[in-house]
Amino acid sequence: MVFTGPFRANTGCDLSLQCAERIPEAEAVLDLLEKCPEHQKKGSFPVIVFEGLDATGKTTVTQAVKDTLNGILLRSPPPCISQWRTVFDDESTPIKRAFYAAGNYILASEIAKASTQAPVIIDRYWHSTAAYAIATETSGEVQDLPPAQDEVYQWPEDLLKPDLVLLLTVDPEERVRRLQHRGLEKTKEEAELEANSSFRQRVEESYRRMVNPACQEVDASPSKEEVLKTVLQLIKKHCAF
């Protein structure tokens, strides 16, 4: 389970070798991936990523930041492949992760273009793909994760890097309350997060161990206004406009 180095080529191989003939959508994802230039470079505007478990406020905060900064809001996986999430979520872990990894490289092409026009706000990017993969492929408790300095926590060298990654967190009880209030059908991973506290803790700790760039943790429990104020202060501190 290595995510560093030139990861894009491995992602394409995983999709093409394992499932392109069996899953027509895999061929479509590969076609989109191949059309994206390699080693994308970002423009002069800052690129800010928001990470976190479901119901930590990402949708609300990203929209508010986008409006405040007159930015461009992007999501991972991007719309051009997001309609196939349910197809790949029912596949084996390697194929599912290859799909989400490919989505990040396709998204990088959109980020490169958008960041020449305005600040770019992103709802999930590479850290989500890596954190869930690490937590899924590690059994047991947090102490069973790869050690903090392991290369699995490094950003891939061939993927466009953001200027800032903010990790939104709330306590488990508040997060469950928000999920119940939303009343949406749970994803498989969300059901696992709720049923298996060890899995949730492994995901959260994997986020915290990410480096280059690391996640800046933000308590998303207060009011929307307070969270937005904190987020904007961090953006002002870390990003040049």
Side-chain angles (χ1 to χ4, degrees):
M1 179 177 57
V2 177
F3 298 101
T4 53
F7 190 78
R8 171 176 161 153
N10 295 336
T11 296
C13 288
D14 286 345
L15 284 175
S16 60
L17 293 176
Q18 296 189 49
C19 61
E21 291 185 4
R22 183 169 56 84
I23 309 171
E25 293 85 355
E27 193 69 42
V29 173
L30 286 169
D31 286 344
L32 288 167
L33 182 62
E34 288 171 5
K35 291 175 183 176
C36 297
E38 295 188 24
H39 299 284
Q40 295 280 351
K41 303 293 184 183
K42 81 176 198 69
S44 58
F45 287 92
V47 175
I48 303 146
V49 177
F50 287 83
E51 297 282 9
L53 305 182
D54 282 353
T56 53
K58 292 189 304 299
T59 300
T60 300
V61 174
T62 52
Q63 185 63 51
V65 173
K66 177 249 186 189
D67 292 342
T68 303
L69 300 182
N70 291 318
I72 297 171
L73 178 58
L74 301 175
R75 291 185 172 87
S76 181
C80 58
I81 66 169
S82 61
Q83 72 267 28
W84 300 320
R85 287 182 69 170
T86 54
V87 173
F88 288 94
D89 281 347
D90 286 335
E91 291 295 329
S92 63
T93 296
I95 293 174
K96 179 166 61 172
R97 294 308 164 203
F99 166 74
Y100 284 102
N104 287 316
Y105 284 89
I106 294 168
L107 179 63
S109 185
E110 298 182 14
I111 297 169
K113 180 179 178 180
S115 61
T116 65
Q117 304 166 357
V120 180
I121 315 303
I122 307 171
D123 185 341
R124 288 190 170 178
Y125 192 24
W126 177 258
H127 284 343
S128 281
T129 303
Y132 278 88
I134 293 165
T136 298
E137 295 182 25
T138 303
S139 58
E141 306 299 324
V142 167
Q143 58 265 31
D144 298 307
L145 288 168
Q149 304 305 317
D150 195 287
E151 62 182 342
V152 297
Y153 303 114
Q154 291 276 348
W155 191 270
E157 64 184 36
D158 60 345
L159 181 63
L160 187 150
K161 190 180 298 185
D163 296 285
L164 179 64
V165 181
L166 298 176
L167 175 64
L168 303 183
T169 62
V170 296
D171 65 65
E173 294 77 15
E174 170 63 14
R175 199 180 65 82
V176 170
R177 187 193 68 77
R178 292 182 182 185
L179 280 169
Q180 292 171 343
H181 181 72
R182 289 198 314 195
L184 299 177
E185 185 178 352
K186 296 174 187 173
T187 62
K188 285 187 175 181
E189 282 182 343
E190 183 50 51
E192 177 74 1
L193 287 169
E194 185 172 329
N196 187 339
S197 62
S198 293
F199 177 64
R200 174 178 52 76
Q201 291 166 6
R202 294 197 305 272
V203 172
E204 291 178 326
E205 182 59 27
S206 295
Y207 271 126
R208 295 186 177 105
R209 294 186 184 186
M210 297 295 170
V211 293
N212 191 33
C215 296
Q216 303 286 324
E217 198 163 338
V218 176
D219 180 9
S221 300
S223 68
K224 292 183 290 185
E225 294 77 15
E226 290 180 77
V227 175
L228 178 59
K229 181 180 178 181
T230 300
V231 163
L232 292 174
Q233 287 173 341
L234 286 168
I235 292 173
K236 183 177 180 180
K237 177 181 178 182
H238 292 280
C239 300
F241 281 85

